[in-house]
């Protein structure tokens, strides 16, 4: 049964990108465990507004695990202690009465803090943009199943396409590497015949953009995979290495 | 040049130099096995690998492998620290499924190279290097021996010497950690992995590291107890 719990929150507060931040401690009483983590923050913000204080800034949108807007590094884990779930899918039943919960923003040079818990993840959008478009033949709508794709490939492509671009991979990585994200985006297209046309160019362009933006070099620690809310596999990173090395060797 | 400029290219250099060092380890451990069974045969190998041009050339290639691996270890680590930024998490937890070794490769590598320096000063410096300097005898604890007599060196350093023996065992332990992650990571970097092979490579990696380090360790302990040729009974040629 869900109970009402009292918790202590240690929240990172930072006025702006250049400002020095620090932790603020807040007490919350009688939070029902059926409440979601973000609703708990809403309750805290309401309390802060009523006290005439600045509410805590944090990113969120869909609140159902599909948009990739929510972030938050909760008790040492991106997207909190749950596995295979985003912060918005995290519920207070994961926490106990009297617990202290530490909430931090993503900390990686690629994701500078905008304010409080909100970080700038535009770098990921730039990498996607560098990937470019996929060529399709114009004309009538093609018949369903006109292009044969093996079940195995279709499944792998779908799994890679589950990436929501949240940035937890780089946030979890001690090397500040974006390889899990980039490899998912390269894989979802490289695995399918429709994506093969530009596959080599796409891999080269996205890796070049990733390097240019200053993300780190992957050393296969697998922290990204363990923390990814969509369970993206590091085997995608092996595929990206393969695609990239082959593309470069062919040049 | 993508090999030098791109992250994946730099990783490729790390991977290939690492695999090259692994190949060398396999060669080295086989050579040690010889010394367990026969001092004479081991000295033959040492004579063969004395200051001949091919042995010197091989040593230079090996040194280049080490140097490239170490230089890139520092370049990659420095770039990664920069990418990580200066702000550290107040609370951080190593997620389940992340090997400790994978996050401490530089430290492990530095431990490996420090012990390797001790090892070179004990053996290579007094063997191949002494010969290259034109010395046909080197002093080992008051006795003059040929720099090609590897067995005399082993007996001198290891037999009954617990300190050196333990130091070498610590060295193998660091190497073991480095290899359990390094082996599969190098394969992964080459792109030679998928969802099925992931766990297989990790398993092969552990077995490989364990076999290499265990053989090194067992041989070292035999040298400590019985000296060269200690693997077979006293009837063996010594
Ligand atoms: C006999 C000695 C050594 C062997 C067999 C060896 C082997 C390897 C292998 C196979 C890798 C994996 C490469 C990859 O992930 O693609 C690796 C990674 C690494 N090695 Fe070594 N290594 C040795 C010595 C050293 C030394 C002396 C240092 C440093 C001073 C070092 C530092 C590193 C670092 C930092 C990595 C991780 C880099 C990365 O994955 O990007 N290693 N090593
Ligand atoms: S790979 Fe996972 S952690 Fe990284 S951006 Fe995509 S969903 Fe988020
Ligand atoms: S708010 Fe959309 S994924 Fe969490």
């Amino acid at each position: 049964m869900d109970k009402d719990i009292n918790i202590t929150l240690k929240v990172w507060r930072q006025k702006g990108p250049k400002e020095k931040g620090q932790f603020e401690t807040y007490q919350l009483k009688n939070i029902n465990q059926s409440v979601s983590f973000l609703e708990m923050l809403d309750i805290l913000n309401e309390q802060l507004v009523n006290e005439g204080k600045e509410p805590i800034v944090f990113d969120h949108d869909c609140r159902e695990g599909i948009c990739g807007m929510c972030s938050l590094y909760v008790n040492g884990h991106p997207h909190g202690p749950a596995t295979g779930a985003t912060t918005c899918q995290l519920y207070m039943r994961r926490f106990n009465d009297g617990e202290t919960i530490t909430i931090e923003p993503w900390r990686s040079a690629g994701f500078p803090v905008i304010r409080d818990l909100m970080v700038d993840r535009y770098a990921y959008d730039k990498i996607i943009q560098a990937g470019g478009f996929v060529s399709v033949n114009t004309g009538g709508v093609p018949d369903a199943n006109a292009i044969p794709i093996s079940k195995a490939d279709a499944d792998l492509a779908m799994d890679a396409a589950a990436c929501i671009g949240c940035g937890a991979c780089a946030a979890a990585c001690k090397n500040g590497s974006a390889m899990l994200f980039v490899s998912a985006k390269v894989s979802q297209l490289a695995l399918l015949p429709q994506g093969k046309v530009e596959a080599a160019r796409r891999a080269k362009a996205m890796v070049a953009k990733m390097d240019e933006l200053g993300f780190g070099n992957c050393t296969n620690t697998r922290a990204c995979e363990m923390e990814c809310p969509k369970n993206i596999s590091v085997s995608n990173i092996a595929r990206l290495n393969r695609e990239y090395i082959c593309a470069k060797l062919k040049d | 040049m993508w090999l030098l400029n791109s992250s994946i290219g730099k990783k490729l250099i790390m991977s290939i130099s690492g695999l090259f060092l692994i190949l060398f380890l396999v060669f080295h451990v086989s050579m040690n096995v010889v010394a367990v069974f026969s001092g004479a045969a081991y000295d033959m190998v040492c004579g063969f690998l004395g200051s001949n041009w091919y042995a010197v050339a091989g040593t230079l290639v090996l040194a280049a492998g080490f140097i490239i691996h170490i230089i890139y270890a520092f370049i990659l680590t420095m770039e990664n620290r920069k990418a990580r930024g200066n702000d550290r998490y107040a609370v951080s937890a190593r997620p389940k499924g992340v090997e400790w070794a994978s996050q401490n490769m530089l430290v492990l590598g530095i431990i490996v190279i420090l012990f390797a320096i001790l090892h070179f000063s004990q053996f290579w410096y007094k063997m191949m290097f002494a010969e290259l300097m034109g010395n046909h005898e080197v002093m080992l604890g008051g006795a003059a021996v040929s720099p090609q007599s590897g067995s005399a060196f082993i007996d001198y350093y290891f037999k009954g010497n617990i300190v050196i023996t333990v130091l070498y065992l610590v060295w193998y332990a660091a190497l073991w950690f480095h290899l359990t992650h390094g082996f599969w990571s190098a394969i992964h970097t080459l792109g030679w992995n998928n969802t099925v092979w992931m766990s297989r490579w990790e398993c092969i990696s552990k077995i490989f590291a364990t076999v290499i380090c265990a053989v090194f360790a067992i041989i070292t302990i035999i040298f400590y107890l019985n000296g060269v040729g200690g693997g077979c009974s006293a009837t063996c040629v010594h």
Side-chain angles (χ1 to χ4, degrees):
Chain A
M1 259 308 283
D2 293 332
K3 303 177 299 205
D4 284 352
I5 56 173
N6 298 331
I7 50 173
T8 306
L9 294 173
K10 270 181 71 187
V11 183
W12 186 257
R13 304 300 307 260
Q14 184 171 336
K15 284 239 155 57
K18 299 267 179 285
E19 233 92 5
K20 226 176 116 56
Q22 78 289 324
F23 282 103
E24 294 282 347
T25 308
Y26 305 99
Q27 308 289 340
L28 268 185
K29 297 232 174 327
N30 301 324
I31 296 293
N32 194 271
Q33 284 181 309
S34 65
V35 158
S36 83
F37 196 81
L38 294 186
E39 282 165 340
M40 179 274 293
L41 285 180
D42 293 338
I43 295 171
L44 173 62
N45 272 347
E46 200 171 321
Q47 192 175 305
L48 289 176
V49 170
N50 288 341
E51 290 167 8
K53 294 185 186 143
E54 279 288 321
I56 298 159
V57 176
F58 62 93
D59 263 327
H60 60 104
D61 190 11
C62 72
R63 297 210 177 188
E64 55 177 350
I66 55 171
C67 74
M69 268 318 277
C70 57
S71 51
L72 305 191
Y73 204 87
V74 183
N75 283 351
H77 294 281
H79 292 296
T83 50
T86 53
T87 301
C88 60
Q89 294 171 309
L90 179 66
Y91 284 82
M92 292 311 291
R93 7 189 120 81
R94 292 265 168 190
F95 303 94
N96 302 314
D97 192 31
E99 193 170 337
T100 300
I101 305 171
T102 308
I103 311 175
E104 302 173 68
W106 286 174
R107 295 189 199 273
S108 206
F111 299 144
V113 171
I114 297 170
R115 185 164 183 156
D116 296 343
L117 301 170
M118 182 189 267
V119 298
D120 177 359
R121 285 172 282 180
Y122 191 43
Y124 269 19
D125 296 331
K126 288 185 190 154
I127 296 174
I128 299 246
Q129 213 170 25
F133 46 80
V134 175
S135 300
V136 284
N137 292 326
T138 50
V141 178
D143 285 343
N145 300 325
I147 305 171
I149 299 169
S150 77
K151 173 88 169 87
D153 282 346
D155 284 351
L156 286 172
M158 278 306 277
D159 287 349
C163 167
I164 51 176
C166 64
C169 39
C173 181
K174 83 173 190 46
N175 305 318
S177 166
M179 282 286 273
L180 193 65
F181 163 76
V182 177
S183 71
K185 297 298 168 198
V186 164
S187 289
Q188 66 183 18
L189 294 170
L191 280 159
L192 302 176
Q194 296 94 325
K196 288 242 159 58
V197 188
E198 290 93 2
R201 199 213 62 213
R202 185 181 309 116
K204 287 184 285 187
M206 291 180 88
V207 170
K209 184 52 91 178
M210 170 184 87
D211 290 347
E212 181 198 316
L213 291 168
F215 286 103
N217 310 290
C218 170
T219 66
N220 305 320
T221 71
R222 300 181 77 179
C224 52
E225 177 183 47
M226 302 302 157
E227 300 288 15
C228 171
K230 296 295 155 185
N231 299 321
I232 302 294
S233 160
V234 290
S235 61
N236 289 304
I237 296 183
R239 183 178 300 102
L240 172 61
N241 290 336
R242 203 153 65 223
E243 292 279 330
Y244 182 83
I245 293 169
C246 290
K248 285 293 186 185
L249 289 179
K250 278 200 198 109
D251 282 352
Chain B
M1 177 63 180
W2 67 277
L3 201 58
L4 302 176
N5 297 335
S6 72
S7 57
I8 297 181
K10 282 178 273 195
K11 280 284 308 176
L12 193 61
I13 293 177
M14 202 62 201
S15 153
I16 290 171
S17 63
L19 288 175
F20 169 73
L21 293 179
I22 285 179
L23 213 63
F24 160 73
L25 282 183
V26 172
F27 167 76
H28 197 312
V29 81
S30 332
M31 206 171 89
N32 292 13
V33 171
V34 174
V36 175
F37 294 104
S38 158
Y42 184 67
D43 287 349
M44 229 169 75
V45 177
C46 292
F48 184 66
L49 293 178
S51 55
N52 306 302
W53 70 266
Y54 46 84
V56 175
T59 306
L60 288 179
V61 172
L62 179 64
F66 259 108
I67 290 168
I68 291 171
H69 192 75
I70 294 170
I71 290 178
Y72 272 83
F74 281 97
I75 293 179
L76 289 174
T77 306
M78 260 148 45
E79 287 182 353
N80 290 348
R81 287 186 69 89
K82 188 158 162 257
R84 184 72 187 73
N86 294 325
D87 297 323
R88 292 278 168 275
Y89 290 113
V91 182
S92 60
R94 180 155 53 90
K96 269 200 291 295
V98 174
E99 311 155 64
W100 174 82
S102 72
Q103 300 195 314
N104 293 282
M105 290 297 273
L106 184 71
V107 178
L108 291 167
I110 290 174
I111 297 176
V112 169
I113 201 67
L114 287 181
F115 281 103
I117 290 170
L118 167 73
H119 180 64
F120 296 150
S121 74
Q122 287 177 323
F123 289 87
W124 176 81
Y125 178 69
K126 293 191 177 155
M127 294 174 76
M128 182 190 272
F129 186 72
E131 251 189 279
L132 288 176
M133 294 295 111
N135 298 330
H136 298 293
E137 278 194 335
V138 283
M139 297 304 288
L140 269 189
V145 297
S146 155
Q148 293 192 350
S149 174
S151 56
F153 280 81
I154 296 175
D155 276 342
Y156 171 69
Y157 287 122
F158 291 101
K159 209 169 169 180
N161 190 335
I162 187 71
V163 176
I164 292 290
T165 305
V166 169
L167 283 178
Y168 271 68
L169 293 181
V170 173
W171 185 19
Y172 306 145
L175 189 63
W176 183 83
F177 279 109
H178 200 82
L179 290 181
T180 51
H181 177 70
F183 188 92
W184 79 260
S185 175
I187 304 280
H188 198 85
T189 301
L190 292 175
W192 207 23
N193 208 350
N194 58 33
T195 33
V196 178
W197 273 87
M198 186 73 225
S199 48
R200 293 184 190 166
W201 280 126
E202 276 196 309
C203 180
I204 293 170
S205 210
K206 286 212 174 69
I207 294 173
F208 176 82
T210 308
V211 169
I212 290 272
C213 295
V215 176
F216 267 126
I218 291 167
I219 292 174
T220 306
I221 293 170
I222 292 175
F223 289 159
Y224 166 67
L225 296 173
N226 296 337
V228 170
C232 43
S233 64
T235 52
C236 258
V237 264
H238 206 162

